[in-house]
Amino acid sequence: QVQLVESGGGSVQAGGSLRLACAVFGYASSWPSMGWFRQDPGKEREGVAAIDTNGGRTYYTDSVKGRFTISQDNRKNLIYLQMNSLKPEDTAMYYCAATYRPSFRLSHPGDFAYWGQGTQVTVSS
């Protein structure tokens, strides 16, 4: 059973940076593909970034391209989301997710079977 624990959220002013981390526990012999999602109350969960562990290919939603970077450190069982040039509209609860599906869609949270509890990011103007 894969377990995910996020950290690194907080409050920052617009234009600032934060780095989120996700610790991965209990994975099977292979490392899963990983994603970061975010959700505001009353809104649908939105895919932000993902990394395909098979090839290391990364995916981003358009609104964060050039500002956010997803990376992984397999030795430390960690996934990172570096967020730069933050905007107030980036405010949300951010979730780490994992999947063993051979293919997934960042726009479909249902493709990811394992989820962390989330970490809050608040960007003030």
Side-chain angles (χ1 to χ4, degrees):
Q1 181 77 5
V2 176
Q3 293 181 311
L4 308 172
V5 179
E6 303 96 334
S7 61
S11 297
V12 65
Q13 289 191 327
S17 298
L18 283 173
R19 188 176 76 161
L20 306 183
C22 173
V24 184
F25 303 97
Y27 61 94
S29 57
S30 61
W31 184 259
S33 295
M34 302 294 300
W36 285 98
F37 293 77
R38 63 187 180 188
Q39 188 170 22
D40 248 349
K43 295 184 179 179
E44 291 186 354
R45 191 162 293 190
E46 174 191 27
V48 176
I51 184 164
D52 178 351
T53 191
N54 292 328
R57 185 175 178 178
T58 56
Y59 308 85
Y60 298 93
T61 192
D62 287 345
S63 62
V64 307
K65 286 180 180 177
R67 300 189 298 123
F68 291 11
T69 303
I70 187 171
S71 61
Q72 62 186 33
D73 185 338
N74 290 18
R75 296 174 302 169
K76 297 182 179 180
N77 295 353
L78 290 170
I79 299 292
Y80 299 104
L81 184 67
Q82 178 67 43
M83 305 185 295
N84 299 327
S85 302
L86 282 162
K87 304 176 180 180
E89 51 264 43
D90 294 319
T91 295
M93 184 72 77
Y94 282 70
Y95 297 91
C96 177
T99 181
Y100 282 105
R101 292 173 63 104
S103 65
F104 59 86
R105 296 155 291 180
L106 186 58
S107 58
H108 287 72
D111 286 351
F112 290 76
Y114 306 98
W115 292 86
Q117 293 300 306
T119 185
Q120 178 68 36
V121 171
T122 302
V123 184
S124 59
S125 58

